Amino acid sequence: MRSIVNLVVIDSSDSLRPPAFDIMMIIISSLGAALATIQPISEPHVAARIILDPTLFAATIFLALRGSAGIAGLIQRGIMDVYLSYPVSRRSVFLIIYISRVVLPAGTLLVSPLLVAAIVLFPVVSRDPASYIIVFAAYLVQAVMFGSIFLLLGLVARSTGSASVASITVYFAYNITSLLLSIIGTTLRSDSMTSLADAMSFYYMVYRSMLGVEVELWQFLLVPAILLLVILAGYIYFTRRFEPR
Amino acid sequence: MIRELIPRILVLVGVAVILAALIAEAVGAKDHVEWGVSIDTSSNPGAAMTVFAFSSSGVVSISVEGAKSIYYMKLKGDPMIALRQLSTINISLVDQTLVQDIRAGVAYGAAGLKTNPLLLKALPLLANIIPVEVKTPEGGNNSLRIALHGGQGVLVVVEPDGDRVTFSMEYRVTGYRRLDTNILIASGFLVSVAGLVFYRMLRSW
C-alpha cells in the first residue's frame, strides 16, 4: 500500500507540476469568479453549471496534454519501466496512473472555480450545497470519461505528439457528433437523434433532471457505460498486452 | 510537489476571490430589467414573446397590447426545446429580436409567427405537445405575472386584434445574494495567506 501511495505521489507530481497546471487553475478560477459575479445566479445547481461549462473544456484539453501525452512521454522516456519495476502489480500501476493522470487533475481543475464561486455566492450555495456537489459530480464523470479515452490513446500511441493529436481529435469528433445529431434530429424532427445528442452530455442530463425535465434512464446511463467500457479496455490492455518497450 | 497542491490551490483560489470582488464592484449583477417591443402583425397571423431565466430566478411581468387572445406556457430547460416543439406543429418565427442580458441572468425576445391562423386558435387543444393556458383579454392591455426559477422560461403566443402587437416586459430578480465586496476581499486575502502559511509549514517539516 505504501508503494502505491508513493507512486501516486511521484506520478501526480509530474502530472500536476507547476507552472502549467497553476496557470490553468488561476485562469479557470478567475473565469469562474467572473461568471459568478457578473450575473445574479439564484440557485446552486445553476451556478455550478454556468461555472463548469467552460471549465470542462479547459480540463479536457489539460487531460489530453498532461494525461494522454504525459503517459506517452513516460513510455518514451523509459519511466514506465521504472514504475513497473516497483513491487506492485500491473493492476495497481494502472490504478495509480488512472488516479494521477485522470481523476486527480480533472477533480482539481473542476473544483477550483467551484470553490471560488462557493465563497462569492455563499448565501446562495449554502441554501442547497448538495445540488451544487451533484452537478460537480456529473461534470467530473464527463471529464473522467474523456480522460479515460485519452489515457488509453496515450498507452497505445506511445508518442507524445500522436497521443495529444489523437486525444484532441477524439474530443472534437465526440462534440461534433453530438452537435450534428442535434442539428439533424431537429431538422428531421427525430426525437431519438436529439435525445442521443443530449445523452452524450451526462452533466446536461443530470442538470435537466434537476430542473424537473423528464430524462429517460438510458440517457443517464450512456456516458457512465462508455466510461466503464473504456476503463475496462484500458485495464485489459495495460495488464495483458502492454509492453513498455 | 504533490503535497504542496493544497497550499497552491488555496493561494490561487484566494487571488481569484479578490479578482471576483473587483469584477463585482466594476460590473456587478443587475436585479431589474425592463424591455418593450412592437411587432408588425399585418402579414403574420400571430406574435410571440419569450423570457428565459438562464441563470437567475425572478418574477416576470409581461403586458400585451393589441391582442385578441393570448396563450402562454412555462418551459423547463433549454428554450430551443420550445422552438423545436413549435416547428413540430408548423409554427415558424419571423423578424426575431433576441436580447441576452447576462447581468440580469435573463434572455428575452419577440418574433412574428408564420402559421395557419386556425392553428393558433387550436393551441389549447395541443396541450399534450405544449401545455397552454388561455388568458382572455379584458380591454386593450393584458398582463401576465409569472415566477421563473433558474433554467425556466415562459413563451407567450398572441393572436393579434389589429396590425400591431406591443409587448412590455419587466423582470425582477429574486433569491440572489452574494457576499459584500469588502468581505470578499478579506476572505480572498485570508485564504491566500492560509495557503502561504500552510506552504511554509510543509517546507519546515
Side-chain angles (χ1 to χ4, degrees):
Chain A
M1 189 65 194
R2 195 178 170 81
S3 302
I4 292 175
V5 173
N6 281 343
L7 257 184
V8 169
V9 169
I10 291 166
D11 197 47
S12 304
S13 299
D14 179 51
S15 67
L16 305 179
R17 70 181 181 275
F21 184 77
D22 295 45
I23 290 169
M24 182 163 261
M25 202 157 61
I26 186 73
I27 288 173
I28 61 174
S29 299
S30 304
L31 183 67
L35 287 171
T37 49
I38 60 170
Q39 46 194 324
I41 306 171
S42 312
E43 288 170 76
H45 58 282
V46 178
R49 183 174 179 207
I50 285 172
I51 291 153
L52 290 178
D53 259 347
T55 309
L56 177 65
F57 171 74
T60 309
I61 297 297
F62 185 85
L63 291 175
L65 298 177
R66 275 283 168 86
S68 183
I71 206 78
L74 290 187
I75 299 166
Q76 273 185 327
R77 297 195 303 270
I79 298 168
M80 187 60 85
D81 281 325
V82 181
Y83 283 7
L84 291 173
S85 70
Y86 267 62
V88 289
S89 64
R90 277 202 171 206
R91 202 179 308 166
S92 304
V93 176
F94 180 73
L95 179 71
I96 288 159
I97 58 172
Y98 192 75
I99 290 171
S100 62
R101 298 279 159 179
V102 180
V103 180
L104 206 54
T108 314
L109 285 172
L110 291 177
V111 94
S112 57
L114 278 188
L115 280 176
V116 176
I119 295 171
V120 175
L121 297 175
F122 181 75
V124 172
V125 174
S126 60
R127 282 205 295 262
D128 186 9
S131 66
Y132 198 66
I133 293 165
I134 288 169
V135 176
F136 160 71
Y139 274 86
L140 185 61
V141 167
Q142 189 85 20
V144 166
M145 184 204 71
F146 286 128
S148 307
I149 297 171
F150 301 163
L151 188 72
L152 181 58
L153 290 171
L155 287 170
V156 175
R158 292 160 175 265
S159 143
T160 50
S162 306
S164 51
V165 169
S167 301
I168 290 170
T169 306
V170 166
Y171 176 58
F172 179 74
Y174 186 91
N175 284 317
I176 294 297
T177 305
S178 171
L179 183 67
L180 282 176
L181 282 171
S182 177
I183 292 169
I184 296 169
T186 307
T187 311
L188 301 179
R189 294 171 188 176
S190 162
D191 269 352
S192 54
M193 285 180 104
T194 48
S195 300
L196 180 59
D198 293 343
M200 289 173 77
S201 303
F202 179 67
Y203 53 90
Y204 185 48
M205 295 297 95
V206 171
Y207 180 74
R208 283 184 67 182
S209 70
M210 292 173 95
L211 293 179
V213 179
E214 197 179 324
V215 176
E216 291 179 49
L217 184 64
W218 73 266
Q219 290 183 295
F220 270 123
L221 295 179
L222 182 69
V223 169
I226 296 172
L227 172 62
L228 282 178
L229 278 176
V230 176
I231 292 175
L232 195 64
Y235 173 78
I236 291 171
Y237 178 75
F238 190 78
T239 53
R240 296 187 185 176
R241 301 286 300 274
F242 177 75
E243 289 299 331
R245 287 169 197 276
Chain B
M1 217 174 277
I2 184 68
R3 66 178 192 162
E4 293 157 8
L5 183 63
I6 292 171
R8 274 159 62 198
I9 291 175
L10 287 175
V11 171
L12 296 174
V13 163
V15 171
V17 169
I18 294 170
L19 196 69
L22 300 176
I23 293 169
E25 202 56 30
V27 276
K30 290 195 292 192
D31 63 354
H32 174 238
V33 62
E34 284 180 28
W35 187 68
V37 67
S38 188
I39 305 275
D40 181 4
T41 50
S42 54
S43 55
N44 303 319
M49 180 181 183
T50 185
V51 180
F52 178 63
F54 59 83
S55 64
S56 61
S57 296
V59 177
V60 61
S61 304
I62 300 172
S63 299
V64 186
E65 279 181 53
K68 192 186 284 178
S69 49
I70 303 170
Y71 314 103
Y72 75 92
M73 59 181 170
K74 271 180 90 167
L75 311 164
K76 287 175 183 170
D78 197 325
M80 286 302 290
I81 294 166
L83 293 179
R84 271 182 217 158
Q85 286 177 324
L86 282 179
S87 66
T88 311
I89 56 172
N90 286 323
I91 298 179
S92 55
L93 305 178
V94 289
D95 303 329
Q96 289 183 60
T97 315
L98 187 67
V99 181
Q100 190 169 2
D101 192 338
I102 196 164
R103 288 180 62 205
V106 67
Y108 43 86
L113 297 179
K114 265 220 166 347
T115 185
N116 184 338
L118 291 173
L119 194 59
L120 284 183
K121 289 187 193 300
L123 274 178
L125 303 174
L126 299 172
N128 59 334
I129 298 174
I130 310 172
V132 175
E133 293 179 39
V134 181
K135 239 1 227 181
T136 308
E138 292 165 9
N141 195 337
N142 297 275
S143 59
L144 308 164
R145 193 177 152 84
I146 299 158
L148 297 176
H149 287 290
Q152 285 185 341
V154 61
L155 179 67
V156 180
V157 176
V158 172
E159 190 189 350
D161 201 18
D163 285 349
R164 291 203 89 75
V165 170
T166 304
F167 293 104
S168 308
M169 184 276 290
E170 185 185 14
Y171 179 77
R172 284 194 180 276
V173 174
T174 54
Y176 169 69
R177 268 185 65 209
R178 68 164 174 84
L179 290 182
D180 179 69
T181 304
N182 293 332
I183 296 174
L184 279 179
I185 291 173
S187 323
F189 185 72
L190 279 177
V191 172
S192 287
V193 169
L196 290 172
V197 170
F198 193 18
Y199 178 76
R200 292 278 298 176
M201 281 165 61
L202 287 174
R203 299 283 284 192
S204 60
W205 281 349

